[in-house]
Short mmCIF file of all heavy atoms in Angstrom, two decimals:
data_model
loop_
_atom_site.label_atom_id
_atom_site.label_comp_id
_atom_site.label_asym_id
_atom_site.label_seq_id
_atom_site.Cartn_x
_atom_site.Cartn_y
_atom_site.Cartn_z
N ASP U 1235 10.90 58.17 -18.60
CA ASP U 1235 11.67 57.06 -18.08
C ASP U 1235 12.25 56.32 -19.29
O ASP U 1235 12.46 55.05 -19.25
CB ASP U 1235 10.84 56.07 -17.17
CG ASP U 1235 11.79 55.07 -16.43
OD1 ASP U 1235 12.92 55.53 -16.15
OD2 ASP U 1235 11.25 54.04 -15.97
N GLY U 1236 12.67 57.11 -20.30
CA GLY U 1236 13.39 56.49 -21.41
C GLY U 1236 12.45 55.81 -22.47
O GLY U 1236 13.01 55.30 -23.50
N LYS U 1237 11.17 55.83 -22.22
CA LYS U 1237 10.21 55.19 -23.10
C LYS U 1237 9.46 56.27 -23.86
O LYS U 1237 8.97 57.23 -23.30
CB LYS U 1237 9.41 54.28 -22.34
CG LYS U 1237 10.06 53.06 -21.82
CD LYS U 1237 9.29 52.22 -21.01
CE LYS U 1237 9.88 51.05 -20.14
NZ LYS U 1237 9.05 50.22 -19.35
N GLU U 1238 9.00 55.90 -25.22
CA GLU U 1238 8.35 56.90 -25.92
C GLU U 1238 6.79 56.65 -25.85
O GLU U 1238 6.36 55.43 -25.99
CB GLU U 1238 8.74 56.83 -27.40
CG GLU U 1238 10.13 57.40 -27.59
CD GLU U 1238 10.53 57.28 -29.03
OE1 GLU U 1238 9.84 56.69 -29.92
OE2 GLU U 1238 11.65 57.96 -29.47
N ILE U 1239 6.00 57.61 -25.89
CA ILE U 1239 4.52 57.50 -25.85
C ILE U 1239 4.18 58.46 -26.96
O ILE U 1239 4.27 59.65 -26.84
CB ILE U 1239 3.79 57.94 -24.53
CG1 ILE U 1239 4.36 57.06 -23.46
CG2 ILE U 1239 2.27 57.73 -24.66
CD1 ILE U 1239 3.95 57.47 -22.11
N GLU U 1240 3.50 57.86 -28.09
CA GLU U 1240 3.10 58.74 -29.27
C GLU U 1240 1.67 59.37 -28.81
O GLU U 1240 0.85 58.69 -28.58
CB GLU U 1240 3.08 57.88 -30.45
CG GLU U 1240 2.71 58.71 -31.73
CD GLU U 1240 2.62 57.96 -33.01
OE1 GLU U 1240 3.36 56.89 -33.03
OE2 GLU U 1240 1.98 58.30 -33.86
N VAL U 1241 1.71 60.67 -28.93
CA VAL U 1241 0.37 61.34 -28.80
C VAL U 1241 -0.10 62.09 -30.08
O VAL U 1241 -1.21 62.59 -29.97
CB VAL U 1241 0.57 62.48 -27.59
CG1 VAL U 1241 1.05 61.78 -26.31
CG2 VAL U 1241 1.61 63.52 -28.10
N GLY U 1242 0.70 62.10 -30.97
CA GLY U 1242 0.13 62.84 -32.33
C GLY U 1242 1.16 62.56 -33.42
O GLY U 1242 2.31 61.98 -33.32
N ARG U 1243 0.69 63.21 -34.64
CA ARG U 1243 1.62 63.16 -35.86
C ARG U 1243 1.60 64.68 -36.29
O ARG U 1243 0.83 65.41 -36.11
CB ARG U 1243 0.87 62.21 -36.87
CG ARG U 1243 0.90 60.86 -36.49
CD ARG U 1243 2.16 60.20 -37.11
NE ARG U 1243 2.38 58.86 -36.77
CZ ARG U 1243 3.17 57.98 -37.26
NH1 ARG U 1243 4.07 58.60 -38.21
NH2 ARG U 1243 3.38 56.73 -36.87
N TYR U 1244 2.68 64.81 -37.01
CA TYR U 1244 2.85 66.19 -37.71
C TYR U 1244 3.47 66.06 -39.07
O TYR U 1244 4.03 65.01 -39.34
CB TYR U 1244 3.73 67.10 -36.88
CG TYR U 1244 5.13 66.84 -36.84
CD1 TYR U 1244 6.05 67.43 -37.79
CD2 TYR U 1244 5.63 65.89 -35.95
CE1 TYR U 1244 7.41 67.10 -37.79
CE2 TYR U 1244 7.12 65.58 -35.99
CZ TYR U 1244 7.91 66.19 -36.96
OH TYR U 1244 9.23 65.86 -37.01
N ALA U 1245 3.47 67.11 -39.93
CA ALA U 1245 3.92 67.03 -41.17
C ALA U 1245 4.50 68.44 -41.48
O ALA U 1245 3.93 69.48 -40.99
CB ALA U 1245 2.99 66.62 -42.21
N LEU U 1246 5.72 68.47 -42.30
CA LEU U 1246 6.24 69.74 -42.69
C LEU U 1246 5.61 70.17 -43.96
O LEU U 1246 5.65 69.42 -44.96
CB LEU U 1246 7.67 69.62 -42.80
CG LEU U 1246 8.53 69.42 -41.51
CD1 LEU U 1246 9.93 69.21 -41.85
CD2 LEU U 1246 8.41 70.74 -40.52
N VAL U 1247 4.95 71.28 -43.99
CA VAL U 1247 4.25 71.87 -45.21
C VAL U 1247 5.12 73.28 -45.52
O VAL U 1247 4.77 74.15 -44.80
CB VAL U 1247 2.87 72.15 -44.94
CG1 VAL U 1247 2.17 72.63 -46.32
CG2 VAL U 1247 2.22 70.78 -44.56
N GLY U 1248 6.03 73.06 -46.36
CA GLY U 1248 6.86 74.29 -46.68
C GLY U 1248 7.73 74.46 -45.35
O GLY U 1248 8.48 73.56 -44.99
N GLU U 1249 7.68 75.70 -44.78
CA GLU U 1249 8.43 75.92 -43.55
C GLU U 1249 7.55 75.76 -42.38
O GLU U 1249 8.05 76.08 -41.22
CB GLU U 1249 8.97 77.37 -43.69
CG GLU U 1249 9.93 77.53 -44.78
CD GLU U 1249 10.63 78.86 -44.80
OE1 GLU U 1249 10.07 79.78 -44.00
OE2 GLU U 1249 11.59 79.18 -45.62
N ASP U 1250 6.30 75.42 -42.51
CA ASP U 1250 5.33 75.34 -41.42
C ASP U 1250 5.16 73.89 -40.90
O ASP U 1250 5.24 72.90 -41.76
CB ASP U 1250 3.95 75.79 -41.84
CG ASP U 1250 4.03 77.31 -42.17
OD1 ASP U 1250 4.80 77.98 -41.51
OD2 ASP U 1250 3.20 77.72 -43.05
N VAL U 1251 4.92 73.72 -39.72
CA VAL U 1251 4.57 72.49 -39.05
C VAL U 1251 3.05 72.24 -38.81
O VAL U 1251 2.52 73.01 -38.13
CB VAL U 1251 5.37 72.18 -37.69
CG1 VAL U 1251 5.08 70.92 -37.11
CG2 VAL U 1251 6.85 72.31 -37.89
N LYS U 1252 2.53 71.19 -39.52
CA LYS U 1252 1.13 71.00 -39.35
C LYS U 1252 0.88 69.83 -38.52
O LYS U 1252 1.36 68.63 -38.85
CB LYS U 1252 0.51 70.80 -40.74
CG LYS U 1252 0.56 72.00 -41.64
CD LYS U 1252 -0.14 73.16 -41.13
CE LYS U 1252 -0.03 74.33 -42.13
NZ LYS U 1252 -0.78 75.56 -41.72
N SER U 1253 0.26 70.07 -37.32
CA SER U 1253 -0.05 68.82 -36.40
C SER U 1253 -1.57 68.50 -36.39
O SER U 1253 -2.33 69.23 -36.88
CB SER U 1253 0.32 69.34 -34.95
OG SER U 1253 -0.08 68.32 -34.12
N ASP U 1254 -1.68 67.12 -36.01
CA ASP U 1254 -3.11 66.73 -36.01
C ASP U 1254 -3.87 67.01 -34.72
O ASP U 1254 -4.95 66.60 -34.40
CB ASP U 1254 -3.22 65.17 -36.29
CG ASP U 1254 -2.52 64.32 -35.21
OD1 ASP U 1254 -1.84 64.97 -34.11
OD2 ASP U 1254 -2.31 63.13 -35.40
N HIS U 1255 -3.14 67.80 -33.85
CA HIS U 1255 -3.73 68.35 -32.65
C HIS U 1255 -3.16 69.68 -32.36
O HIS U 1255 -2.18 70.20 -32.97
CB HIS U 1255 -3.52 67.46 -31.45
CG HIS U 1255 -2.10 67.15 -31.07
ND1 HIS U 1255 -1.36 66.26 -31.67
CD2 HIS U 1255 -1.45 67.77 -30.13
CE1 HIS U 1255 -0.17 66.26 -31.18
NE2 HIS U 1255 -0.23 67.30 -30.17
N ASP U 1256 -3.70 70.37 -31.38
CA ASP U 1256 -3.30 71.74 -31.07
C ASP U 1256 -2.20 71.86 -30.06
O ASP U 1256 -1.22 72.68 -30.32
CB ASP U 1256 -4.50 72.63 -30.46
CG ASP U 1256 -5.75 72.67 -31.49
OD1 ASP U 1256 -5.46 72.77 -32.63
OD2 ASP U 1256 -6.81 72.46 -31.08
N ASP U 1257 -2.25 71.20 -28.95
CA ASP U 1257 -1.14 71.13 -28.07
C ASP U 1257 -1.33 69.95 -26.96
O ASP U 1257 -2.39 69.28 -27.04
CB ASP U 1257 -1.25 72.32 -27.28
CG ASP U 1257 0.03 72.77 -26.42
OD1 ASP U 1257 1.01 72.00 -26.61
OD2 ASP U 1257 -0.01 73.68 -25.59
N TYR U 1258 -0.30 69.71 -26.19
CA TYR U 1258 -0.42 68.74 -25.10
C TYR U 1258 0.42 69.16 -23.97
O TYR U 1258 1.53 69.77 -24.22
CB TYR U 1258 -0.11 67.31 -25.52
CG TYR U 1258 1.27 67.15 -26.11
CD1 TYR U 1258 2.22 66.37 -25.41
CD2 TYR U 1258 1.53 67.48 -27.44
CE1 TYR U 1258 3.34 66.07 -25.84
CE2 TYR U 1258 2.76 67.13 -27.92
CZ TYR U 1258 3.73 66.48 -27.23
OH TYR U 1258 4.99 66.10 -27.78
N THR U 1259 0.03 69.12 -22.70
CA THR U 1259 0.78 69.49 -21.51
C THR U 1259 0.90 68.38 -20.54
O THR U 1259 -0.13 67.57 -20.40
CB THR U 1259 0.10 70.70 -20.89
OG1 THR U 1259 -1.36 70.44 -20.79
CG2 THR U 1259 0.19 72.00 -21.84
N LEU U 1260 1.94 68.34 -19.83
CA LEU U 1260 2.27 67.29 -18.95
C LEU U 1260 1.93 67.54 -17.45
O LEU U 1260 2.14 68.71 -17.05
CB LEU U 1260 3.74 66.80 -19.20
CG LEU U 1260 4.03 65.89 -20.36
CD1 LEU U 1260 3.75 66.57 -21.71
CD2 LEU U 1260 5.60 65.46 -20.24
N PHE U 1261 1.56 66.58 -16.72
CA PHE U 1261 1.35 66.76 -15.27
C PHE U 1261 1.81 65.56 -14.55
O PHE U 1261 1.92 64.44 -15.20
CB PHE U 1261 -0.19 66.88 -15.04
CG PHE U 1261 -0.73 68.10 -15.70
CD1 PHE U 1261 -1.22 68.09 -17.00
CD2 PHE U 1261 -0.89 69.25 -15.10
CE1 PHE U 1261 -1.81 69.19 -17.73
CE2 PHE U 1261 -1.40 70.45 -15.69
CZ PHE U 1261 -1.83 70.35 -17.04
N SER U 1262 2.12 65.60 -13.34
CA SER U 1262 2.31 64.58 -12.43
C SER U 1262 1.15 64.43 -11.44
O SER U 1262 1.02 65.33 -10.65
CB SER U 1262 3.64 64.71 -11.72
OG SER U 1262 3.82 63.64 -10.75
N LEU U 1263 0.44 63.25 -11.45
CA LEU U 1263 -0.71 63.17 -10.52
C LEU U 1263 -0.44 61.86 -9.70
O LEU U 1263 -0.46 60.76 -10.44
CB LEU U 1263 -1.94 63.08 -11.31
CG LEU U 1263 -2.28 64.40 -12.12
CD1 LEU U 1263 -3.55 64.12 -12.86
CD2 LEU U 1263 -2.42 65.65 -11.19
N ASN U 1264 -0.42 61.83 -8.51
CA ASN U 1264 -0.22 60.66 -7.65
C ASN U 1264 0.99 59.88 -8.10
O ASN U 1264 1.00 58.60 -8.26
CB ASN U 1264 -1.43 59.76 -7.67
CG ASN U 1264 -2.64 60.36 -7.04
OD1 ASN U 1264 -2.57 61.08 -6.18
ND2 ASN U 1264 -3.83 60.02 -7.52
N ASN U 1265 2.08 60.68 -8.52
CA ASN U 1265 3.30 60.04 -8.95
C ASN U 1265 3.21 59.34 -10.31
O ASN U 1265 4.02 58.35 -10.50
CB ASN U 1265 3.96 59.19 -7.92
CG ASN U 1265 4.39 59.98 -6.72
OD1 ASN U 1265 4.98 61.01 -6.83
ND2 ASN U 1265 4.26 59.48 -5.55
N LYS U 1266 2.20 59.54 -11.12
CA LYS U 1266 1.92 58.88 -12.23
C LYS U 1266 1.83 60.08 -13.42
O LYS U 1266 1.46 61.08 -13.08
CB LYS U 1266 0.63 58.08 -12.24
CG LYS U 1266 0.69 56.86 -11.39
CD LYS U 1266 -0.56 56.13 -11.38
CE LYS U 1266 -0.47 54.87 -10.41
NZ LYS U 1266 -1.78 54.18 -10.30
N LEU U 1267 2.31 59.60 -14.59
CA LEU U 1267 2.19 60.57 -15.71
C LEU U 1267 0.85 60.84 -16.17
O LEU U 1267 0.02 59.86 -16.27
CB LEU U 1267 3.04 59.99 -16.84
CG LEU U 1267 2.95 60.85 -18.24
CD1 LEU U 1267 3.68 62.13 -18.00
CD2 LEU U 1267 3.71 59.97 -19.30
N ALA U 1268 0.42 62.12 -16.42
CA ALA U 1268 -0.73 62.56 -17.01
C ALA U 1268 -0.50 63.59 -18.03
O ALA U 1268 0.40 64.32 -17.90
CB ALA U 1268 -1.77 62.87 -15.89
N TYR U 1269 -1.40 63.70 -19.06
CA TYR U 1269 -1.25 64.81 -19.94
C TYR U 1269 -2.60 65.14 -20.53
O TYR U 1269 -3.62 64.28 -20.54
CB TYR U 1269 -0.33 64.53 -21.10
CG TYR U 1269 -0.58 63.35 -21.94
CD1 TYR U 1269 -1.30 63.39 -23.12
CD2 TYR U 1269 -0.17 61.95 -21.54
CE1 TYR U 1269 -1.64 62.35 -23.89
CE2 TYR U 1269 -0.47 60.92 -22.40
CZ TYR U 1269 -1.22 61.05 -23.60
OH TYR U 1269 -1.49 60.04 -24.39
N ILE U 1270 -2.74 66.34 -20.82
CA ILE U 1270 -3.95 66.92 -21.54
C ILE U 1270 -3.74 67.22 -22.95
O ILE U 1270 -2.72 67.81 -23.28
CB ILE U 1270 -4.49 68.19 -20.83
CG1 ILE U 1270 -5.11 67.89 -19.51
CG2 ILE U 1270 -5.51 68.84 -21.63
CD1 ILE U 1270 -5.64 69.01 -18.65
N LEU U 1271 -4.53 66.65 -23.80
CA LEU U 1271 -4.39 66.65 -25.20
C LEU U 1271 -5.41 67.69 -25.87
O LEU U 1271 -6.74 67.36 -25.53
CB LEU U 1271 -4.49 65.31 -25.92
CG LEU U 1271 -4.26 65.16 -27.50
CD1 LEU U 1271 -2.74 65.65 -27.86
CD2 LEU U 1271 -4.50 63.83 -27.98
N GLU U 1272 -5.02 68.64 -26.54
CA GLU U 1272 -6.03 69.49 -27.05
C GLU U 1272 -6.23 69.31 -28.64
O GLU U 1272 -5.15 69.27 -29.35
CB GLU U 1272 -5.62 71.04 -26.84
CG GLU U 1272 -5.51 71.39 -25.34
CD GLU U 1272 -4.95 72.72 -25.09
OE1 GLU U 1272 -5.04 73.61 -25.95
OE2 GLU U 1272 -4.36 72.86 -24.04
N LYS U 1273 -7.36 69.26 -29.03
CA LYS U 1273 -7.65 69.01 -30.41
C LYS U 1273 -8.95 69.60 -30.89
O LYS U 1273 -9.99 69.35 -30.29
CB LYS U 1273 -7.56 67.56 -30.75
CG LYS U 1273 -7.58 67.23 -32.28
CD LYS U 1273 -7.56 65.70 -32.51
CE LYS U 1273 -7.59 65.31 -34.01
NZ LYS U 1273 -7.44 63.86 -34.29
N ASP U 1274 -9.03 70.32 -32.04
CA ASP U 1274 -10.21 70.90 -32.56
C ASP U 1274 -10.85 71.77 -31.48
O ASP U 1274 -12.23 71.54 -31.30
CB ASP U 1274 -11.24 69.80 -33.04
CG ASP U 1274 -10.45 69.15 -34.31
OD1 ASP U 1274 -9.64 69.83 -34.99
OD2 ASP U 1274 -10.76 67.93 -34.53
N LYS U 1275 -10.22 72.46 -30.63
CA LYS U 1275 -10.82 73.37 -29.66
C LYS U 1275 -11.52 72.67 -28.46
O LYS U 1275 -12.11 73.06 -27.69
CB LYS U 1275 -11.76 74.30 -30.27
CG LYS U 1275 -11.11 75.32 -31.24
CD LYS U 1275 -12.15 76.38 -31.72
CE LYS U 1275 -11.54 77.30 -32.71
NZ LYS U 1275 -12.51 78.23 -33.21
N LYS U 1276 -11.11 71.24 -28.42
CA LYS U 1276 -11.62 70.41 -27.36
C LYS U 1276 -10.37 69.76 -26.67
O LYS U 1276 -9.26 69.74 -27.34
CB LYS U 1276 -12.62 69.43 -27.74
CG LYS U 1276 -13.98 69.91 -28.27
CD LYS U 1276 -14.89 68.77 -28.50
CE LYS U 1276 -16.30 69.35 -28.75
NZ LYS U 1276 -17.32 68.27 -28.89
#
Side-chain angles (χ1 to χ4, degrees):
D1235 196 20
K1237 299 176 182 178
E1238 295 180 347
I1239 302 169
E1240 185 175 332
V1241 297
R1243 291 270 179 167
Y1244 75 93
L1246 292 175
V1247 181
E1249 295 182 354
D1250 297 326
V1251 176
K1252 300 295 183 181
S1253 174
D1254 63 2
H1255 63 276
D1256 300 321
D1257 194 12
Y1258 59 105
T1259 49
L1260 281 60
F1261 300 87
S1262 176
L1263 301 175
N1264 293 330
N1265 291 324
K1266 296 179 181 179
L1267 174 67
Y1269 59 94
I1270 289 180
L1271 184 66
E1272 300 176 24
K1273 184 177 181 179
D1274 299 328
K1275 296 183 179 180
K1276 291 189 174 184

